[in-house]
Amino acid sequence: MTTTTTYERLADLAGVDLGCTGYRTVSQDQVNLFADATDDHQWIHVDPERARTGPFGAPIAHGFLTLSLAVPFWTELLEVEGVATKVNYGLDRVRFPAPVAVGSRVRMRATVVEVTEVRGGYQLVVDQTIEIEGGTKPAVVARGLYRFHA
């Protein structure tokens, strides 16, 4: 469910649990495209046959591919009206506790930890966890920094 607010009410989001997104399936095509974009063609990602006999028993998504899914997940969690510009300002404390096997479904859970005024806007500090359906550990745990400008 999407939380909708206005630019003027962004400060009210401090401490708000935004819930979780729907699930997305990570496909081999997606992994291959990411490998091409980043020039990271390690066999554990792009060679399904070899990866089946490797340490994870299947090809896995790049950790940074899984992390990048935070971008489309955000559109499911938060809509801010009256904003001219949204900027991914940075990340703190990023960890990849569990690999995401190709074909797995993942979703993101997020909580706004803090909202502060910055020059020309607001910065949200958000704890975000990308979970693997049926997994015992998350795929990504990160603190995101997002700026909104009117």
Side-chain angles (χ1 to χ4, degrees):
M1 186 158 140
T2 304
T3 297
T4 302
T5 192
T6 63
Y7 176 79
E8 294 78 21
R9 305 229 13 151
L10 273 172
D12 296 340
L13 289 178
V16 171
D17 180 351
L18 299 175
C20 60
T21 67
Y23 282 102
R24 289 177 175 254
T25 301
V26 177
S27 71
Q28 186 65 56
D29 286 342
Q30 191 176 22
V31 170
N32 292 344
L33 287 169
F34 191 85
D36 289 342
T38 60
D39 202 23
D40 180 356
H41 294 93
Q42 189 177 168
W43 62 269
I44 62 172
H45 305 302
V46 299
D47 186 342
E49 184 115 354
R50 185 174 176 195
R52 277 191 266 292
T53 62
F56 305 107
I60 60 168
H62 305 74
F64 286 111
L65 165 58
T66 307
L67 175 62
S68 73
L69 293 175
V71 175
F73 283 145
W74 259 108
T75 63
E76 292 183 46
L77 291 179
L78 182 62
E79 176 64 36
V80 182
E81 298 169 348
V83 171
T85 306
K86 303 173 199 175
V87 177
N88 295 320
Y89 186 70
L91 294 162
D92 289 337
R93 296 188 244 164
V94 178
R95 299 290 182 268
F96 303 104
V100 176
V102 169
S104 295
R105 292 173 14 116
V106 295
R107 69 179 180 185
M108 187 170 82
R109 181 176 304 282
T111 300
V112 179
V113 176
E114 173 183 318
V115 180
T116 55
E117 282 192 61
V118 294
R119 188 161 75 178
Y122 290 95
Q123 177 171 289
L124 275 64
V125 177
V126 181
D127 282 345
Q128 49 198 33
T129 303
I130 297 180
E131 304 170 336
I132 306 165
E133 185 177 40
T136 58
K137 291 183 183 178
V140 177
V141 177
R143 180 163 277 190
L145 309 174
Y146 302 96
R147 291 199 172 173
F148 295 80
H149 302 276

PDB file of all heavy atoms in Angstrom, residues 5-21:
ATOM      1  N   THR A   5       1.659  11.633   0.726  1.00  0.00           N
ATOM      2  CA  THR A   5       1.745  12.835   1.543  1.00  0.00           C
ATOM      3  C   THR A   5       2.082  14.007   0.636  1.00  0.00           C
ATOM      4  O   THR A   5       2.242  13.836  -0.572  1.00  0.00           O
ATOM      5  CB  THR A   5       2.789  12.673   2.678  1.00  0.00           C
ATOM      6  OG1 THR A   5       2.636  13.746   3.608  1.00  0.00           O
ATOM      7  CG2 THR A   5       4.202  12.624   2.149  1.00  0.00           C
ATOM      8  N   THR A   6       2.179  15.174   1.228  1.00  0.00           N
ATOM      9  CA  THR A   6       2.568  16.362   0.471  1.00  0.00           C
ATOM     10  C   THR A   6       3.950  16.802   0.917  1.00  0.00           C
ATOM     11  O   THR A   6       4.432  16.425   1.994  1.00  0.00           O
ATOM     12  CB  THR A   6       1.579  17.521   0.717  1.00  0.00           C
ATOM     13  OG1 THR A   6       1.630  17.872   2.104  1.00  0.00           O
ATOM     14  CG2 THR A   6       0.164  17.133   0.310  1.00  0.00           C
ATOM     15  N   TYR A   7       4.565  17.626   0.107  1.00  0.00           N
ATOM     16  CA  TYR A   7       5.874  18.172   0.434  1.00  0.00           C
ATOM     17  C   TYR A   7       5.841  18.861   1.799  1.00  0.00           C
ATOM     18  O   TYR A   7       6.735  18.663   2.618  1.00  0.00           O
ATOM     19  CB  TYR A   7       6.322  19.144  -0.663  1.00  0.00           C
ATOM     20  CG  TYR A   7       7.625  19.816  -0.362  1.00  0.00           C
ATOM     21  CD1 TYR A   7       8.833  19.151  -0.558  1.00  0.00           C
ATOM     22  CD2 TYR A   7       7.665  21.113   0.149  1.00  0.00           C
ATOM     23  CE1 TYR A   7      10.039  19.759  -0.258  1.00  0.00           C
ATOM     24  CE2 TYR A   7       8.868  21.732   0.447  1.00  0.00           C
ATOM     25  CZ  TYR A   7      10.043  21.042   0.235  1.00  0.00           C
ATOM     26  OH  TYR A   7      11.242  21.644   0.538  1.00  0.00           O
ATOM     27  N   GLU A   8       4.798  19.618   2.050  1.00  0.00           N
ATOM     28  CA  GLU A   8       4.676  20.367   3.304  1.00  0.00           C
ATOM     29  C   GLU A   8       4.561  19.454   4.529  1.00  0.00           C
ATOM     30  O   GLU A   8       4.845  19.870   5.642  1.00  0.00           O
ATOM     31  CB  GLU A   8       3.458  21.307   3.253  1.00  0.00           C
ATOM     32  CG  GLU A   8       3.571  22.421   2.233  1.00  0.00           C
ATOM     33  CD  GLU A   8       3.295  21.956   0.800  1.00  0.00           C
ATOM     34  OE1 GLU A   8       2.640  20.906   0.601  1.00  0.00           O
ATOM     35  OE2 GLU A   8       3.765  22.645  -0.126  1.00  0.00           O
ATOM     36  N   ARG A   9       4.152  18.218   4.335  1.00  0.00           N
ATOM     37  CA  ARG A   9       3.939  17.285   5.457  1.00  0.00           C
ATOM     38  C   ARG A   9       5.039  16.225   5.562  1.00  0.00           C
ATOM     39  O   ARG A   9       4.898  15.260   6.324  1.00  0.00           O
ATOM     40  CB  ARG A   9       2.571  16.627   5.318  1.00  0.00           C
ATOM     41  CG  ARG A   9       1.455  17.663   5.199  1.00  0.00           C
ATOM     42  CD  ARG A   9       0.312  17.543   6.024  1.00  0.00           C
ATOM     43  NE  ARG A   9       0.383  16.616   7.126  1.00  0.00           N
ATOM     44  CZ  ARG A   9      -0.308  16.783   8.234  1.00  0.00           C
ATOM     45  NH1 ARG A   9      -1.063  17.825   8.378  1.00  0.00           N
ATOM     46  NH2 ARG A   9      -0.252  15.898   9.183  1.00  0.00           N
ATOM     47  N   LEU A  10       6.125  16.377   4.817  1.00  0.00           N
ATOM     48  CA  LEU A  10       7.191  15.377   4.858  1.00  0.00           C
ATOM     49  C   LEU A  10       7.742  15.145   6.259  1.00  0.00           C
ATOM     50  O   LEU A  10       8.023  14.011   6.642  1.00  0.00           O
ATOM     51  CB  LEU A  10       8.338  15.765   3.913  1.00  0.00           C
ATOM     52  CG  LEU A  10       8.196  15.308   2.470  1.00  0.00           C
ATOM     53  CD1 LEU A  10       9.276  15.922   1.604  1.00  0.00           C
ATOM     54  CD2 LEU A  10       8.224  13.794   2.363  1.00  0.00           C
ATOM     55  N   ALA A  11       7.884  16.200   7.035  1.00  0.00           N
ATOM     56  CA  ALA A  11       8.438  16.054   8.391  1.00  0.00           C
ATOM     57  C   ALA A  11       7.597  15.118   9.252  1.00  0.00           C
ATOM     58  O   ALA A  11       8.116  14.486  10.181  1.00  0.00           O
ATOM     59  CB  ALA A  11       8.567  17.423   9.050  1.00  0.00           C
ATOM     60  N   ASP A  12       6.316  14.997   8.933  1.00  0.00           N
ATOM     61  CA  ASP A  12       5.426  14.124   9.701  1.00  0.00           C
ATOM     62  C   ASP A  12       5.735  12.632   9.499  1.00  0.00           C
ATOM     63  O   ASP A  12       5.204  11.788  10.215  1.00  0.00           O
ATOM     64  CB  ASP A  12       3.962  14.367   9.318  1.00  0.00           C
ATOM     65  CG  ASP A  12       3.497  15.775   9.666  1.00  0.00           C
ATOM     66  OD1 ASP A  12       4.135  16.430  10.516  1.00  0.00           O
ATOM     67  OD2 ASP A  12       2.495  16.210   9.075  1.00  0.00           O
ATOM     68  N   LEU A  13       6.575  12.312   8.516  1.00  0.00           N
ATOM     69  CA  LEU A  13       6.872  10.901   8.232  1.00  0.00           C
ATOM     70  C   LEU A  13       7.903  10.293   9.183  1.00  0.00           C
ATOM     71  O   LEU A  13       8.084   9.070   9.184  1.00  0.00           O
ATOM     72  CB  LEU A  13       7.368  10.737   6.790  1.00  0.00           C
ATOM     73  CG  LEU A  13       6.328  10.932   5.697  1.00  0.00           C
ATOM     74  CD1 LEU A  13       6.978  10.785   4.328  1.00  0.00           C
ATOM     75  CD2 LEU A  13       5.180   9.943   5.847  1.00  0.00           C
ATOM     76  N   ALA A  14       8.580  11.104   9.976  1.00  0.00           N
ATOM     77  CA  ALA A  14       9.593  10.567  10.895  1.00  0.00           C
ATOM     78  C   ALA A  14       8.966   9.494  11.790  1.00  0.00           C
ATOM     79  O   ALA A  14       7.936   9.715  12.412  1.00  0.00           O
ATOM     80  CB  ALA A  14      10.187  11.687  11.740  1.00  0.00           C
ATOM     81  N   GLY A  15       9.578   8.320  11.786  1.00  0.00           N
ATOM     82  CA  GLY A  15       9.096   7.212  12.598  1.00  0.00           C
ATOM     83  C   GLY A  15       8.027   6.362  11.944  1.00  0.00           C
ATOM     84  O   GLY A  15       7.578   5.375  12.529  1.00  0.00           O
ATOM     85  N   VAL A  16       7.614   6.690  10.721  1.00  0.00           N
ATOM     86  CA  VAL A  16       6.523   5.978  10.059  1.00  0.00           C
ATOM     87  C   VAL A  16       7.026   4.708   9.366  1.00  0.00           C
ATOM     88  O   VAL A  16       7.990   4.731   8.602  1.00  0.00           O
ATOM     89  CB  VAL A  16       5.807   6.893   9.037  1.00  0.00           C
ATOM     90  CG1 VAL A  16       4.816   6.110   8.189  1.00  0.00           C
ATOM     91  CG2 VAL A  16       5.114   8.033   9.764  1.00  0.00           C
ATOM     92  N   ASP A  17       6.357   3.611   9.651  1.00  0.00           N
ATOM     93  CA  ASP A  17       6.592   2.341   8.953  1.00  0.00           C
ATOM     94  C   ASP A  17       5.811   2.396   7.653  1.00  0.00           C
ATOM     95  O   ASP A  17       4.584   2.482   7.670  1.00  0.00           O
ATOM     96  CB  ASP A  17       6.117   1.181   9.826  1.00  0.00           C
ATOM     97  CG  ASP A  17       6.310  -0.187   9.197  1.00  0.00           C
ATOM     98  OD1 ASP A  17       6.670  -0.274   7.997  1.00  0.00           O
ATOM     99  OD2 ASP A  17       6.093  -1.172   9.904  1.00  0.00           O
ATOM    100  N   LEU A  18       6.518   2.354   6.530  1.00  0.00           N
ATOM    101  CA  LEU A  18       5.868   2.423   5.221  1.00  0.00           C
ATOM    102  C   LEU A  18       5.353   1.067   4.751  1.00  0.00           C
ATOM    103  O   LEU A  18       4.740   0.971   3.696  1.00  0.00           O
ATOM    104  CB  LEU A  18       6.831   3.005   4.173  1.00  0.00           C
ATOM    105  CG  LEU A  18       7.315   4.431   4.438  1.00  0.00           C
ATOM    106  CD1 LEU A  18       8.352   4.826   3.391  1.00  0.00           C
ATOM    107  CD2 LEU A  18       6.155   5.411   4.468  1.00  0.00           C
ATOM    108  N   GLY A  19       5.610   0.031   5.519  1.00  0.00           N
ATOM    109  CA  GLY A  19       5.136  -1.299   5.143  1.00  0.00           C
ATOM    110  C   GLY A  19       6.050  -1.952   4.119  1.00  0.00           C
ATOM    111  O   GLY A  19       7.250  -1.688   4.086  1.00  0.00           O
ATOM    112  N   CYS A  20       5.456  -2.799   3.286  1.00  0.00           N
ATOM    113  CA  CYS A  20       6.268  -3.502   2.298  1.00  0.00           C
ATOM    114  C   CYS A  20       5.595  -3.462   0.935  1.00  0.00           C
ATOM    115  O   CYS A  20       4.393  -3.261   0.814  1.00  0.00           O
ATOM    116  CB  CYS A  20       6.559  -4.930   2.726  1.00  0.00           C
ATOM    117  SG  CYS A  20       5.120  -5.947   2.954  1.00  0.00           S
ATOM    118  N   THR A  21       6.409  -3.683  -0.068  1.00  0.00           N
ATOM    119  CA  THR A  21       5.956  -3.686  -1.451  1.00  0.00           C
ATOM    120  C   THR A  21       5.390  -5.054  -1.819  1.00  0.00           C
ATOM    121  O   THR A  21       5.470  -5.995  -1.022  1.00  0.00           O
ATOM    122  CB  THR A  21       7.134  -3.395  -2.409  1.00  0.00           C
ATOM    123  OG1 THR A  21       8.059  -4.499  -2.343  1.00  0.00           O
ATOM    124  CG2 THR A  21       7.834  -2.092  -2.054  1.00  0.00           C
TER     125      THR A  21
END
